[in-house]
Amino acid sequence: MRKTSLGSPKTELHVRRADIDPTDFIPLLATDFGGIYQVYLAASDERLKMLRFAMSLLAAPFAAVVALASAKVLDPAALTSWHRIPPYVFALTAIFGAMGVLPYLRLIEATSRHLRTARAVNNFRLLYVEELRDHFSQVGWAPNLPVDPAYPEAFAPTSSSGLTAIGLAVVDAAYISIGLLGLSGARPTAIVVTIWIVVTATLLFLIYHVRLGAARRRQGPANPYGFPSVES
């Protein structure tokens, strides 16, 4: 009796699933797509906000120097020679360069979400394109938007987002390197300054590479149904 009572719910469940029409899942797919698309839009908006925030921080030292020069606190002629620049100018440069790392990291995270949801949107688009492929061929229509769930790539340094991250990394590295070298009291040559900037920018770029490149090779979520992976 116990085996019969335990087996009946499972049989009823399979019968119930067999009675479900595939069109009943369309609202679920539409809701899922709508949620993913909202995340896509939010990530795109955050990328733009973080870029503006980073540019504001990078412009702050220049605004501070102009204000100090206008108030006659800073002699503009002192900025023409490394050893005559006041220490607080180097401090401002280093502080705002370090603060610029925060929007840089947020920009990377927003880019990661933006690319991931873009691939998810393409995967949804591929679903209806496959189902309506014969109809599209009959009417002579073809989608002009990507239907590749592996596009865009997770790590693409030459893309617009990649070049933006690299540019911010270089500028932040320049601010931090010049500020710290100036506060140290050293009188470095152009080669020394360049080496510091390259090393610091490389470290920041490695963060971008690890988050978007190496992170995609981490262990993915469980796949109990054995669906093939279509994402890059």
Side-chain angles (χ1 to χ4, degrees):
M1 296 297 293
R2 183 173 300 177
K3 290 183 179 180
T4 304
S5 62
L6 290 176
S8 57
K10 184 176 181 180
T11 303
E12 293 176 0
L13 179 60
H14 283 289
V15 173
R16 194 181 306 117
R17 286 181 176 176
D19 293 339
I20 297 177
D21 190 89
T23 57
D24 296 336
F25 293 98
I26 297 299
L28 175 61
L29 291 174
T31 302
D32 196 11
F33 175 83
I36 292 175
Y37 191 67
Q38 291 301 318
V39 175
Y40 171 82
L41 294 178
S44 179
D45 184 61
E46 184 177 4
R47 286 175 56 192
L48 181 59
K49 288 181 179 179
M50 289 301 103
L51 179 60
R52 290 175 177 173
F53 183 34
M55 297 303 293
S56 298
L57 291 175
L58 295 176
F62 294 96
V65 168
V66 171
L68 291 173
S70 299
K72 307 299 183 180
V73 177
L74 175 65
D75 183 9
L79 302 176
T80 59
S81 178
W82 178 280
H83 67 277
R84 294 181 58 190
I85 298 177
Y88 59 81
V89 175
F90 288 116
L92 286 173
T93 304
I95 290 173
F96 282 100
M99 291 176 61
V101 176
L102 178 59
Y104 172 75
L105 297 177
R106 290 287 302 273
L107 178 68
I108 293 175
E109 293 300 318
T111 299
S112 177
R113 289 195 302 274
H114 182 265
L115 297 178
R116 184 69 184 271
T117 51
R119 294 193 292 273
V121 169
N122 292 341
N123 197 27
F124 270 103
R125 192 178 293 122
L126 177 64
L127 176 64
Y128 75 77
V129 168
E130 286 184 341
E131 293 295 327
L132 301 176
R133 178 175 52 189
D134 295 336
H135 177 70
F136 290 160
S137 62
Q138 292 176 3
V139 298
W141 182 88
N144 59 352
L145 290 174
V147 294
D148 183 4
Y151 176 85
E153 298 179 28
F155 179 67
T158 57
S159 64
S160 60
S161 58
L163 293 176
T164 300
I166 293 174
L168 284 180
V170 172
V171 177
D172 283 340
Y175 275 50
I176 295 172
S177 301
I178 293 175
L180 293 180
L181 286 172
L183 290 175
S184 67
R187 297 183 182 179
T189 60
I191 297 179
V192 174
V193 174
T194 302
I195 292 176
W196 270 72
I197 294 175
V198 170
V199 171
T200 308
T202 302
L203 293 176
L204 293 176
F205 179 75
L206 284 176
I207 299 175
Y208 170 72
H209 169 69
V210 170
R211 183 63 187 91
L212 295 186
R216 64 179 173 174
R217 294 188 290 270
R218 67 186 185 276
Q219 183 178 359
N223 186 10
Y225 296 100
F227 292 121
S229 177
V230 294
E231 184 181 350
S232 63

CSV table of all heavy atoms in Angstrom, one decimal, residues 1-9:
chain,number,residue,atom,x,y,z
A,1,MET,N,0.8,-1.2,0.0
A,1,MET,CA,0.0,0.0,0.0
A,1,MET,C,0.9,1.3,0.0
A,1,MET,O,0.6,2.2,-0.6
A,1,MET,CB,-0.9,0.0,1.2
A,1,MET,CG,-1.9,-1.1,1.2
A,1,MET,SD,-3.1,-1.0,-0.2
A,1,MET,CE,-3.9,0.5,0.3
A,2,ARG,N,2.0,1.2,0.7
A,2,ARG,CA,2.8,2.4,0.8
A,2,ARG,C,3.5,2.7,-0.5
A,2,ARG,O,3.6,3.8,-0.9
A,2,ARG,CB,3.9,2.1,1.9
A,2,ARG,CG,4.8,3.3,2.1
A,2,ARG,CD,5.7,3.1,3.3
A,2,ARG,NE,4.9,2.9,4.5
A,2,ARG,CZ,5.5,2.6,5.7
A,2,ARG,NH1,6.8,2.5,5.8
A,2,ARG,NH2,4.7,2.5,6.8
A,3,LYS,N,3.9,1.5,-1.2
A,3,LYS,CA,4.5,1.8,-2.5
A,3,LYS,C,3.5,2.4,-3.5
A,3,LYS,O,3.8,3.3,-4.3
A,3,LYS,CB,5.0,0.5,-3.1
A,3,LYS,CG,6.2,-0.1,-2.4
A,3,LYS,CD,6.7,-1.3,-3.0
A,3,LYS,CE,7.9,-1.9,-2.3
A,3,LYS,NZ,8.4,-3.1,-3.0
A,4,THR,N,2.2,2.0,-3.4
A,4,THR,CA,1.2,2.5,-4.3
A,4,THR,C,0.9,4.0,-4.0
A,4,THR,O,0.8,4.8,-4.9
A,4,THR,CB,-0.1,1.7,-4.1
A,4,THR,OG1,0.2,0.3,-4.4
A,4,THR,CG2,-1.2,2.2,-5.1
A,5,SER,N,0.9,4.3,-2.7
A,5,SER,CA,0.6,5.7,-2.4
A,5,SER,C,1.8,6.6,-2.7
A,5,SER,O,1.6,7.8,-3.1
A,5,SER,CB,0.4,5.8,-0.8
A,5,SER,OG,1.5,5.4,-0.1
A,6,LEU,N,3.0,6.1,-2.7
A,6,LEU,CA,4.1,6.9,-3.1
A,6,LEU,C,4.3,7.0,-4.6
A,6,LEU,O,4.8,8.0,-5.1
A,6,LEU,CB,5.4,6.3,-2.5
A,6,LEU,CG,5.6,6.4,-1.0
A,6,LEU,CD1,6.9,5.7,-0.5
A,6,LEU,CD2,5.6,7.9,-0.5
A,7,GLY,N,3.9,6.0,-5.3
A,7,GLY,CA,4.0,6.1,-6.7
A,7,GLY,C,3.0,6.8,-7.5
A,7,GLY,O,3.2,7.4,-8.5
A,8,SER,N,1.8,7.0,-6.9
A,8,SER,CA,0.7,7.6,-7.6
A,8,SER,C,0.9,9.1,-7.8
A,8,SER,O,0.6,9.6,-8.9
A,8,SER,CB,-0.6,7.4,-6.8
A,8,SER,OG,-0.5,7.9,-5.5
A,9,PRO,N,1.5,9.9,-6.9
A,9,PRO,CA,1.7,11.3,-7.2
A,9,PRO,C,2.7,11.5,-8.3
A,9,PRO,O,2.5,12.4,-9.1
A,9,PRO,CB,2.3,11.8,-5.9
A,9,PRO,CG,1.8,10.9,-4.8
A,9,PRO,CD,1.8,9.5,-5.5
